[in-house]
Amino acid sequence: MLALEMARDGLLVPVESTQTAAQSSAAKKKTAALRSWISLDQDGEGTVLDLDKYAIIRRVQIHARDLRLLDPLLSYPSTILGREKVIVLNLEHIKAIITADEVLLRDPFDDNVLPIVEELQRRLPLVSANFQGQGEDEETSGVQKDVETDELKFPFEFRALEVALEGICSFLDARTRQLETDAYPALDELTSKISSRNLDRVRKLKSAMTRLTNRVQKVRDELEQLLDDDDDMADLYLSRKLVGTSPLSDLGAQNWSLASPTITIGSRVSKTSRASAATTAEENDVEELEMLLEAYFMQIESTLNKLTTLREYIDDTEDYINIQLDNHRNQLIQLELFLSSGTVCLSVYSLVAAIFGMNIPYTWKEDHGYVFKWVIIVTGVVCASLFLFIISYARHKGLVGS
C-alpha cells in the first residue's frame, strides 16, 4: 500500500527495496512474537515484557535447555517440569514459567492464549477477607472463612498450574466435540452413499482425529507420569521449598535454641529428630497436588475415551463399507462367470458351424439335407447343457450366489 501511494505521488519505488522492506517487517513481527511475554503477579496484574531468552534466564534463573522447551519454533511434547525455583510448563499453545510469586506466559496476544491470560488475572488474586455487605449471618461468615482458609492454603504456583491444566483440557475437549460434530454425519452419509467426495471427506476427518488423539495422549501421559512419581510432584511445591530455604526459618530455630538454655542434650536430640521427621513428612505430602492432577487426568481421560469411541465408529464404518465392496465385487465376478460360460458355449457352436461350413466335398452331403437340422439341434443342446453344468458347479463351490 505504501508503494502504491508513493507511485500515485509520482515517486519511483524499486521493487527489490519494497520486497526487502516487507521481508524485514515480517522478520521484525516474527522476532517480536518470539520475544513477547506477559508477567502476572499474585494480584493478577499483568505486564507485557519484550525479553530475549538470556533476559528470561537471568530473570527466573532457569537453564537454557529448559527454556528451549518453550521455543515455538521447536516441536516438543507436552511437558511439566519441576525445577528448584520454577515450573516449566509446555502444554500445546500454553508455554509458561511459573515461580512462587510470578507467572511468565509466552505469546500473550495469541487467540488461544488470551483466555488463559484473562483466567489467570481473575483467579490468581486471593479472596478478600472482608465482607462488603451488611446483615450476613454467622453461618455464611463461617463458610466464607473456610473458603478463605482453603485459598490461603493453596499455593500460588498451584493456582496458576490449575488454570493452565483447565485451559488445555477444555481446549482439547472442545476440539474433540467439534470433530465429533463433523465426523458422525460424514460417516453416516458415507454408509448411505459411497462416493469419492465422501471418502475424501472421511479420510481428512480420520487424519485430523489421529493428530488430535496424539496430542491428547501426550498430555495424558505427562499427567500420568507425574502422578506415578511422588518426587516429581514434590518438586512442584515451590512455596514449600521457598519456606524451607528462607533465612527466617533458620532464625526461628536459632531463637528457639537461645530461649531454652536448660534443655538437655537428649531432649534436644529427640526434638531435632521429631522436627526432621515432621519436615520429611511435610515434604513427602503431595496429596493436595495429587488430587488436583487426578481431577484433570480424569478429564483428559474422558476426552481420550471420546476419541477412542470415534475411532471405533470409523473402523466399524470401514468394515461395513468393505463388506459392501466385497458384495459388489462378488456380483461382478458372478456376472463375469456367466459371460465367460456363454462365450465358451458360443465358441463350441461356432466351431461346429465352421467345420460344416467349409467348402469340402463330402459324400454324406448328397441326398441327406436333414443332417443340417440334426447338427443344429444337437449342438444347441450340448452348449446349453455345458452352460448349466458350469453354473451349477460354481454354485456348488460357493463361487456365486444362489
Side-chain angles (χ1 to χ4, degrees):
M1 295 298 295
L2 181 60
L4 292 176
E5 293 177 359
M6 296 179 68
R8 291 173 185 171
D9 296 339
L11 299 177
L12 297 177
V13 181
V15 178
E16 295 181 357
S17 62
T18 305
Q19 293 177 352
T20 304
Q23 292 176 357
S24 62
S25 176
K28 289 181 180 178
K29 290 181 180 179
K30 187 176 181 179
T31 305
L34 293 177
R35 294 163 59 96
S36 179
W37 294 77
I38 186 171
S39 173
L40 298 167
D41 57 12
Q42 295 182 352
D43 296 329
E45 299 293 334
T47 304
V48 179
L49 305 175
D50 186 16
L51 302 176
D52 57 5
K53 61 180 181 179
Y54 301 105
I56 294 294
I57 291 174
R58 291 192 299 267
R59 182 184 180 95
V60 297
Q61 298 180 8
I62 189 176
H63 293 289
R65 65 176 181 272
D66 295 333
L67 186 61
R68 194 176 296 115
L69 298 174
L70 308 181
D71 193 341
L73 299 180
L74 302 178
S75 178
Y76 285 98
S78 299
T79 308
I80 302 176
L81 294 178
R83 294 296 184 245
E84 183 64 27
K85 296 182 179 180
V86 299
I87 297 175
V88 182
L89 201 65
N90 178 26
L91 297 174
E92 297 286 335
H93 55 275
I94 304 176
K95 303 179 184 297
I97 301 175
I98 303 174
T99 65
D101 54 3
E102 182 186 25
V103 178
L104 290 175
L105 195 63
R106 181 184 279 277
D107 197 9
F109 302 106
D110 186 78
D111 294 336
N112 295 324
V113 183
L114 279 175
I116 305 301
V117 177
E118 296 175 357
E119 192 67 14
L120 285 171
Q121 291 177 342
R122 186 181 69 86
R123 296 174 59 176
L124 285 181
L126 293 175
V127 179
S128 176
N130 298 322
F131 284 102
Q132 301 298 329
Q134 295 180 357
E136 291 83 0
D137 54 1
E138 294 182 358
E139 182 178 358
T140 306
S141 177
V143 172
Q144 181 71 15
K145 288 181 180 179
D146 293 338
V147 172
E148 291 176 14
T149 304
D150 295 337
E151 289 284 348
L152 291 174
K153 288 182 179 180
F154 207 57
F156 170 81
E157 62 270 17
F158 289 171
R159 297 201 302 273
L161 179 62
E162 183 179 9
V163 172
L165 291 175
E166 182 178 350
I168 191 61
C169 290
S170 301
F171 176 81
L172 294 175
D173 186 68
R175 292 295 182 274
T176 301
R177 284 186 277 106
Q178 180 64 36
L179 184 62
E180 288 178 335
T181 304
D182 297 336
Y184 285 114
L187 293 171
D188 295 336
E189 184 178 356
L190 180 61
T191 55
S192 61
K193 181 181 179 181
I194 302 175
S195 63
S196 58
R197 185 182 67 86
N198 291 336
L199 287 172
D200 184 67
R201 182 183 176 188
V202 172
R203 179 188 62 83
K204 293 179 180 178
L205 289 173
K206 186 175 181 180
S207 300
M209 184 204 64
T210 302
R211 292 192 298 268
L212 182 59
T213 302
N214 293 333
R215 294 163 62 186
V216 173
Q217 186 68 43
K218 290 176 182 178
V219 178
R220 178 195 175 280
D221 292 343
E222 182 62 24
L223 293 179
E224 185 179 15
Q225 183 179 358
L226 272 176
L227 288 170
D228 291 340
D229 196 335
D230 292 346
D231 293 336
D232 290 343
M233 285 191 289
D235 289 336
L236 302 182
Y237 281 81
L238 302 180
S239 301
R240 179 185 297 174
K241 290 188 289 185
L242 186 63
V243 172
T245 58
S246 175
L248 295 178
S249 60
D250 297 337
L251 181 61
Q254 183 178 1
N255 293 336
W256 177 80
S257 300
L258 293 176
S260 306
T262 59
I263 297 177
T264 61
I265 296 177
S267 61
R268 190 173 301 174
V269 172
S270 62
K271 289 186 178 181
T272 303
S273 61
R274 288 197 300 270
S276 61
T279 304
T280 304
E282 184 180 359
E283 290 179 354
N284 294 330
D285 183 15
V286 293
E287 182 180 359
E288 186 178 28
L289 178 59
E290 187 176 4
M291 293 175 62
L292 172 65
L293 295 178
E294 282 181 350
Y296 293 101
F297 177 79
M298 296 300 296
Q299 185 174 350
I300 202 71
E301 183 76 14
S302 175
T303 303
L304 187 61
N305 290 336
K306 292 180 183 179
L307 292 172
T308 303
T309 304
L310 180 59
R311 176 179 291 276
E312 293 176 354
Y313 193 82
I314 292 177
D315 292 339
D316 294 340
T317 304
E318 289 180 348
D319 294 339
Y320 176 75
I321 292 173
N322 290 331
I323 292 173
Q324 284 187 333
L325 294 177
D326 291 339
N327 185 29
H328 294 327
R329 191 180 299 111
N330 292 336
Q331 293 177 356
L332 291 176
I333 293 174
Q334 184 177 358
L335 177 61
E336 183 181 2
L337 181 60
F338 289 156
L339 294 177
S340 299
S341 301
T343 303
V344 170
C345 296
L346 290 176
S347 300
V348 174
Y349 196 84
S350 300
L351 177 61
V352 175
I355 293 174
F356 284 91
M358 291 181 181
N359 192 13
I360 300 176
Y362 293 102
T363 58
W364 52 268
K365 285 186 176 181
E366 299 176 357
D367 299 332
H368 294 84
Y370 63 90
V371 175
F372 176 76
K373 297 179 181 179
W374 282 107
V375 169
I376 294 297
I377 294 173
V378 171
T379 305
V381 171
V382 170
C383 292
S385 301
L386 180 61
F387 179 78
L388 294 176
F389 173 76
I390 294 174
I391 296 302
S392 61
Y393 179 79
R395 289 177 178 176
H396 178 70
K397 293 296 183 181
L399 298 178
V400 295
S402 57

